[in-house]
Amino acid sequence: MSTNENGYRKKDLHFATKAIHAGSEAEQWKSMAVVPPISLSTTFKQYGPADFEQYEYSRSGNPTRTCLQRCLASLDDAKYGLCYSSGLGATTAIVSLLSAGDHMLSVDDIYGGTGRLFRSVAQRFNISTTFAEGVDAEKFCQHLQPNTKLVWVESPTNPLLKVMDIPRIASLIKAYNKDIIFVVDNTFLTSYFQKPLALGADIVVYSATKYLNGHSDVVMGAVTTNNDGYYDRLKFLQNAMGIVPSPFDCYLVLRSLKTLKLRMEQHMKNSLAVAEFLESHPLVEKVMHPGLPSHPQHEVARRVWSGCSGMLSVYVRGGLDETKAFLSALKVITLAESLGGYESLADHPELMTHASVPADVRKQLGITSNLVRLSIGLESVEDLIRDLDQALQAGQKIKKS
Ligand SMILES: *Cc1c(COP(=O)(O)O)cnc(C)c1O
């Protein structure tokens, strides 16, 4: 396997070209529009009953959505792409491939809302889930059962940035039962830094709300796959369950993809600079960034990924009071949920994004009161470092009540 200049897996050399051209060919429009039009019409004229061109009703299919779906498929070198009303909408469609009595195996350290959907919704339809630590692929796959129909992996994990050996997990799953659907949530890395289908996954899922859109102004989900059967069923569910995005949002995400490569490169640079700064800071206990040589799965990341995103997590020195004071003292970085936008965001997983995770599970995972997740944006990195430094100092000055 060849590596790129940073020692990571070789990058997709055609990525930017595909992001700019795939799905946007001018020849598909009578007007020869270079930028795909936003097709707001909910319905499409028929020549005679049930005799129509490509589209009939905008939930079932929409021209702007098709452009985006084709572009997303191309970025993953996939046959098919599908967009949903949100990342969790995409997850809902995937879980709906299963039936009552089926079992799912999931990595334990996953997006809070995904865990909530598995625990509180799927469970009610008698689809059970085992949550297990996924860093050790062999141990993880020991939880496979005869009725396991789907394996769910998020890598890196959220919020602890653990790295999964996706090729290894894929081969263990397929050796156990080749009909198990292997799903990878690739939201944190995007197809620019990780290509799960090439690594053995059957379905890739995205919260396009994050890096794919990258401008924090659209909520959307997406799926890519090479499997004809899964595609047919997921397309059916997109329409049958009504989990579709608006044409305007499709236009915005398609527009955002044009700069995905540039954004991801800069997110990586900025987040590494911040991570290195924080790692040497006396008021920080520990930094988790897969691009740091100190990260326990740094070598796995280099082998499986082409680079890292803007995500890192830190344990700051002190407890809840110091951590809250630190977060409130940030001036450039915004305290808000979500990630992957051009602006830097800070999150307190225990009280914010992962509040729906049961307290004992949070404790076991290491989601403690002094854990902070950072989504490093595209600002001048010197300003981010200065902001973190002053907020850390301010955090230590609080008087405990
Ligand atoms: C945000 C997120 C989701 C859910 O996506 P929505 O668009 O918010 O529904 C799923 N997985 C990961 C890793 C996420 O960060």
Side-chain angles (χ1 to χ4, degrees), residues 200-212:
D202 298 305
I203 295 174
V204 187
V205 60
Y206 293 98
S207 170
T209 314
K210 315 297 167 51
Y211 287 106
L212 292 182

Side-chain angles (χ1 to χ4, degrees), residues 86-88 111 114 154 185 187-188 207 209-210 219-220 339:
S86 67
L88 284 179
Y111 177 71
T114 305
E154 199 173 301
D185 183 333
T187 299
F188 273 35
S207 170
T209 314
K210 315 297 167 51
V219 171
M220 194 191 291
L339 58 106

Side-chain angles (χ1 to χ4, degrees), residues 24-155:
S24 294
E25 303 80 6
E27 292 74 13
Q28 68 189 300
W29 317 109
K30 279 209 176 107
S31 66
M32 296 288 263
V34 171
V35 175
I38 307 175
S39 185
L40 292 172
S41 186
T42 55
T43 189
F44 300 83
K45 183 171 175 176
Q46 311 203 359
Y47 297 115
D51 174 15
F52 50 89
E53 296 276 351
Q54 203 178 342
Y55 302 100
E56 52 181 324
Y57 183 60
S58 202
R59 170 162 37 72
S60 337
N62 171 279
T64 315
R65 195 167 87 212
T66 302
C67 296
L68 173 60
Q69 292 181 156
R70 288 184 47 215
C71 191
L72 288 168
S74 160
L75 295 182
D76 264 330
D77 299 323
K79 260 167 106 172
Y80 306 111
L82 288 165
C83 295
Y84 294 86
S85 50
S86 67
L88 284 179
T91 306
T92 298
I94 294 169
V95 172
S96 304
L97 294 171
L98 305 188
S99 306
D102 288 348
H103 171 258
M104 295 194 283
L105 171 59
S106 171
V107 162
D108 54 4
D109 182 24
I110 53 168
Y111 177 71
T114 305
R116 181 177 56 199
L117 182 76
F118 293 171
R119 284 188 183 91
S120 310
V121 183
Q123 188 65 56
R124 290 186 49 236
F125 293 91
N126 197 21
I127 296 167
S128 61
T129 308
T130 301
F131 295 92
E133 152 73 41
V135 167
D136 183 332
E138 272 74 14
K139 268 197 197 145
F140 178 65
C141 289
Q142 278 167 14
H143 296 277
L144 292 169
Q145 303 175 12
N147 64 336
T148 305
K149 292 286 161 58
L150 188 149
V151 175
W152 189 278
V153 165
E154 199 173 301
S155 180

Side-chain angles (χ1 to χ4, degrees), residues 66 78 102 112 137 157 165-166 171 177 192 214 246 268 286 309 322 327 342 357 369 388 401:
T66 302
D102 288 348
T157 63
D165 189 342
I166 289 177
S171 67
N177 175 354
Y192 185 59
S246 78
M268 178 173 177
K286 190 176 171 193
S309 71
E322 287 82 0
L327 290 168
Y342 53 71
V357 177
S369 299
L388 286 161
S401 45

Side-chain angles (χ1 to χ4, degrees), residues 182-334:
F182 181 28
V183 183
V184 173
D185 183 333
N186 201 29
T187 299
F188 273 35
L189 289 170
T190 78
S191 33
Y192 185 59
F193 283 139
Q194 178 170 256
K195 294 249 193 303
L197 296 175
L199 301 171
D202 298 305
I203 295 174
V204 187
V205 60
Y206 293 98
S207 170
T209 314
K210 315 297 167 51
Y211 287 106
L212 292 182
N213 182 56
H215 295 68
S216 303
D217 51 8
V218 172
V219 171
M220 194 191 291
V223 157
T224 61
T225 184
N226 282 320
N227 182 295
D228 300 328
Y230 299 151
Y231 168 71
D232 287 343
R233 290 161 67 200
L234 288 167
K235 184 171 157 49
F236 170 81
L237 290 164
Q238 180 193 43
N239 180 47
M241 300 181 93
I243 21 183
V244 292
S246 78
F248 185 68
D249 286 351
C250 292
Y251 168 79
L252 284 176
V253 175
L254 185 59
R255 177 179 163 134
S256 296
L257 291 181
K258 312 302 177 205
T259 55
L260 182 60
K261 174 192 161 153
L262 295 172
R263 288 186 285 112
M264 294 312 286
E265 294 277 6
Q266 195 61 37
H267 281 298
M268 178 173 177
K269 274 192 198 140
N270 280 4
S271 71
L272 266 174
V274 167
E276 281 161 11
F277 167 76
L278 291 174
E279 193 160 52
S280 64
H281 201 289
L283 298 178
V284 171
E285 274 180 11
K286 190 176 171 193
V287 180
M288 286 146 288
H289 186 302
L292 290 176
S294 62
H295 190 284
Q297 294 99 40
H298 177 62
E299 290 309 318
V300 181
R302 278 179 186 260
R303 174 162 52 82
V304 177
W305 305 355
S306 304
C308 301
S309 71
M311 299 305 298
L312 64 131
S313 289
V314 295
Y315 290 111
V316 299
R317 211 169 80 191
L320 184 60
D321 290 338
E322 287 82 0
T323 310
K324 274 185 167 171
F326 158 67
L327 290 168
S328 303
L330 289 167
K331 295 190 172 83
V332 180
I333 300 175
T334 305

Side-chain angles (χ1 to χ4, degrees), residues 382-401:
E382 299 77 13
D383 292 328
L384 299 177
I385 287 175
R386 206 168 304 125
D387 191 35
L388 286 161
D389 191 35
Q390 67 78 24
L392 282 165
Q393 315 277 0
Q396 296 295 314
K397 287 198 195 106
I398 49 123
K399 288 254 181 334
K400 292 209 182 187
S401 45

